Amino acid sequence: SSLAAVQQIVADEGAAALYRGLGPILLKEVPFVVTKFVVFDRVAALLAAALPDAQGGALLSVGLPLAAGSVAGLFAALASQPADTLLTLTNEEGATLGSATSRLAAELRLALQGLAPRGLFAMLLSSLQFLIYTRLRDLFGVSKADLTLVWDALATIQAGPIGR
């Protein structure tokens, strides 16, 4: 069972073993997600500006998120590929983040291994994610300005009371 496996890991390696992959996964996922959203917004804006006559059309409402999402997925895969390699190397028996980093520095070609299928997968997945994202956003009547308001409110909360 899963509980028995967790108990065995903790007994053999200590509780820290449960979090061994957290650093590498964050090094991979944070650049991936940030790049994906930033590139999607920029490419979507460029495509919308380049095709003003198609605004509101069915082709643009489907094609734009698919195209911009595909480009965003490719850039996200490129941005996070070295960290993805580190994550893979960290998962090898007895490896640590330090040993994986040293191995990657010594064998730089490893950073490009698997990039083509990973890029293709990220392009497909991101384009479908952004198609669903834009459709749901439109369905619920949420504008880009509404999404910005959330971040503005969070930034205000983080800054604390005025005059501090």
Side-chain angles (χ1 to χ4, degrees):
S1 75
S2 297
L3 181 59
V6 168
Q7 289 172 335
Q8 186 66 43
I9 290 170
V10 171
D12 292 348
E13 303 174 47
L18 297 175
Y19 302 96
R20 182 176 33 233
L22 183 61
I25 198 85
L26 288 175
L27 287 173
K28 173 189 161 230
E29 287 301 318
V30 171
F32 185 87
V33 172
V34 169
T35 302
K36 185 168 68 168
F37 275 95
V38 168
V39 171
F40 174 79
D41 281 341
R42 293 293 178 199
V43 172
L46 288 171
L47 289 175
L51 304 167
D53 296 337
Q55 295 297 326
L59 180 62
L60 192 65
S61 72
V62 172
L64 188 132
L66 288 176
S70 183
V71 173
L74 178 62
F75 276 84
L78 289 169
S80 63
Q81 178 66 20
D84 188 53
T85 303
L86 273 179
L87 177 63
T88 302
L89 294 174
T90 302
N91 287 329
E92 292 177 356
E93 187 70 31
T96 64
L97 183 56
S99 68
T101 304
S102 297
R103 181 168 173 208
L104 183 59
E107 302 175 58
L108 286 177
R109 64 175 172 69
L110 291 176
L112 298 177
Q113 267 185 335
L115 181 58
R118 185 167 181 269
L120 216 65
F121 179 73
M123 290 170 69
L124 176 63
L125 188 62
S126 296
S127 63
L128 293 174
Q129 285 173 338
F130 280 114
L131 177 62
I132 294 167
Y133 165 75
T134 55
R135 299 302 251 179
L136 287 174
R137 197 180 67 200
D138 294 345
L139 177 71
F140 291 115
V142 177
S143 71
K144 287 184 181 182
D146 294 332
L147 296 173
T148 303
L149 286 174
V150 170
W151 292 116
D152 291 344
L154 291 174
T156 302
I157 291 169
Q158 181 184 7
I162 297 175
R164 202 199 295 181

